[in-house]
Amino acid sequence: MTQTKKQEQEDLLLLDKQLCFPLYAASRLVTRLYQPLLEPLGLTYPQYIVLMILWEDAPCSVSHICDRALLNTNTLTPLLKRLENDGFVVRTRSKIDERAVEITLTEKGKNTKTQCKHVPQEMSKSLCMPDSKLATLKQSLEDLIADLQEQ
Amino acid sequence: MTQTKKQEQEDLLLLDKQLCFPLYAASRLVTRLYQPLLEPLGLTYPQYIVLMILWEDAPCSVSHICDRALLNTNTLTPLLKRLENDGFVVRTRSKIDERAVEITLTEKGKNTKTQCKHVPQEMSKSLCMPDSKLATLKQSLEDLIADLQEQ
DNA sequence: TGCGATTATATCGCGTGCGATATATAATTA
DNA sequence: TAATTATATATCGCACGCGATATAATCGCA
């Protein structure tokens, strides 16, 4: 291999050339931004994601939440147990299919939606980017996810 | 509040309206894609990120890695200890400033770069998106990070 | 019907992430 | 120079994520 070609190939390992790193860093930074909004409600960021799913779809099964959150039961079972412990949800074995666990929102779980109403607004205030650019970014990420899910 | 207005505000809490969720999900899915490439080298994804920084900047201090990786010492100290245990790096107290710890690459740590040469190519094969779109996505994420870092 | 394959959830172990706090060293300043 | 402040790293505790594996219930097909 020529010196030039070797150099080019090594340069692909520069941090600034990676897509993965800004993805990883942006995700963590955005999560940090949510933390002070969610902490007063006694929620973590992944718990907030799961509650959003439940506000749309509850009562529903654990596997339904897995599908929407793109998380596995090894993450979701403990998370849902904590949500149950904290009084947001109830976990019940399905009568129709004894393998399945149905997740139901408690009154507290339902009411938390009202207390979260301000969260999206606060976030879009913090993400000081034009809405059109945010929309494009969101769409690109969704395209990426669709690609990755097929694999 | 009118019924319509209330409805609009609640709709902001739909999972599909969030930017944060595709960011969170895409980051995790991409990390999963790296795993089979890194596992044979005995590396996790965050360890790979730190090694990329070291291939550019080593020897350097822990705080320098913190700055580039956007991670804190509570994450990096244990990670670097594991990298040291696995023979990729050496940690030494700086003689100039006894507070600082200098991270040096071992021969194994340096050689691992050669073994990672194929990783970026493999990844871009897997991310089946036009390069121009990937470049735009990367730039948007970097803009987002720049915004978030100011806060 | 019965038995192997599939599905739904749970558990385990390990490596992050990160808020909070601790400790030691260096820099500053009164 | 002594006291204060700032900086660099480490530690602790807890909640993820996830590969691997386990368990129980259901399905499918011979």
Side-chain angles (χ1 to χ4, degrees):
Chain A
M1 196 186 292
T2 67
Q3 191 60 40
T4 319
K5 192 159 182 198
K6 191 177 174 192
Q7 190 60 46
E8 273 167 21
Q9 211 167 42
E10 278 175 2
D11 282 349
L12 291 177
L13 284 168
L14 292 176
L15 192 65
D16 282 353
K17 301 258 181 170
Q18 313 304 313
L19 171 64
C20 67
F21 176 69
L23 202 51
Y24 165 69
S27 173
R28 286 186 292 104
L29 292 178
V30 168
T31 301
R32 281 186 208 170
L33 211 56
Y34 274 93
Q35 207 274 335
L37 299 175
L38 299 177
E39 194 274 337
L41 306 176
L43 292 174
T44 65
Y45 175 75
Q47 287 169 359
Y48 172 68
I49 297 289
V50 168
L51 278 184
M52 280 198 286
I53 293 168
L54 290 170
W55 291 328
E56 289 181 52
D57 301 342
C60 64
S61 67
V62 173
S63 56
H64 175 80
I65 303 172
C66 287
D67 289 345
R68 288 210 69 191
L70 306 182
L71 286 166
N72 300 317
T73 56
N74 48 11
T75 299
L76 277 174
T77 296
L79 187 155
L80 289 166
K81 280 187 176 177
R82 281 186 285 270
L83 281 180
E84 184 175 46
N85 251 305
D86 297 345
F88 293 101
V89 305
V90 173
R91 297 160 63 246
T92 329
R93 282 279 160 190
S94 162
K95 298 252 165 64
I96 303 132
D97 184 342
E98 285 276 336
R99 294 170 303 180
V101 171
E102 290 291 313
I103 307 297
T104 315
L105 282 166
T106 61
E107 279 310 306
K108 179 181 175 183
K110 287 175 194 165
N111 294 337
T112 303
K113 182 170 182 180
T114 312
Q115 296 179 265
C116 286
K117 264 195 313 210
H118 68 294
V119 173
Q121 283 105 325
E122 288 294 321
M123 284 305 296
S124 48
K125 258 188 267 175
S126 296
L127 302 176
C128 37
M129 253 185 173
D131 278 1
S132 64
K133 195 171 175 184
L134 288 177
T136 308
L137 174 57
K138 180 168 168 290
Q139 187 58 56
S140 301
L141 291 169
E142 284 165 355
D143 293 349
L144 184 61
I145 290 168
D147 276 359
L148 293 173
Q149 279 204 271
E150 285 167 19
Q151 301 182 23
Chain B
M1 199 187 291
T2 66
Q3 192 61 38
T4 319
K5 191 160 180 196
K6 191 176 174 192
Q7 190 61 45
E8 275 166 22
Q9 211 166 46
E10 279 175 0
D11 280 351
L12 291 178
L13 284 168
L14 292 176
L15 192 65
D16 281 352
K17 300 260 180 168
Q18 312 304 312
L19 171 64
C20 66
F21 176 69
L23 203 50
Y24 165 69
S27 174
R28 286 186 293 102
L29 292 179
V30 169
T31 301
R32 281 185 209 172
L33 212 56
Y34 274 94
Q35 208 274 333
L37 300 175
L38 299 178
E39 194 274 336
L41 306 176
L43 291 174
T44 65
Y45 176 74
Q47 288 169 358
Y48 171 68
I49 298 289
V50 169
L51 278 185
M52 280 198 286
I53 293 168
L54 290 170
W55 291 327
E56 289 181 52
D57 301 342
C60 64
S61 67
V62 173
S63 57
H64 175 79
I65 303 171
C66 286
D67 289 345
R68 288 209 69 191
L70 306 181
L71 287 167
N72 299 317
T73 56
N74 49 11
T75 299
L76 277 175
T77 296
L79 187 153
L80 288 166
K81 281 187 176 178
R82 281 185 286 269
L83 282 181
E84 184 175 46
N85 252 305
D86 296 345
F88 294 100
V89 305
V90 173
R91 297 159 64 247
T92 329
R93 280 279 160 192
S94 162
K95 298 250 165 64
I96 305 133
D97 184 341
E98 285 276 338
R99 293 170 302 180
V101 170
E102 290 291 314
I103 307 297
T104 315
L105 282 167
T106 61
E107 278 311 305
K108 178 181 175 183
K110 287 174 195 166
N111 293 337
T112 302
K113 182 170 180 181
T114 312
Q115 296 180 264
C116 285
K117 265 196 311 210
H118 67 293
V119 173
Q121 282 104 324
E122 288 295 319
M123 285 304 297
S124 48
K125 259 188 266 175
S126 296
L127 303 176
C128 38
M129 253 182 171
D131 279 1
S132 64
K133 197 170 173 185
L134 287 177
T136 309
L137 175 56
K138 179 167 168 292
Q139 186 58 56
S140 301
L141 290 169
E142 284 166 354
D143 293 349
L144 184 61
I145 290 168
D147 275 359
L148 293 173
Q149 279 205 271
E150 285 167 19
Q151 299 181 26

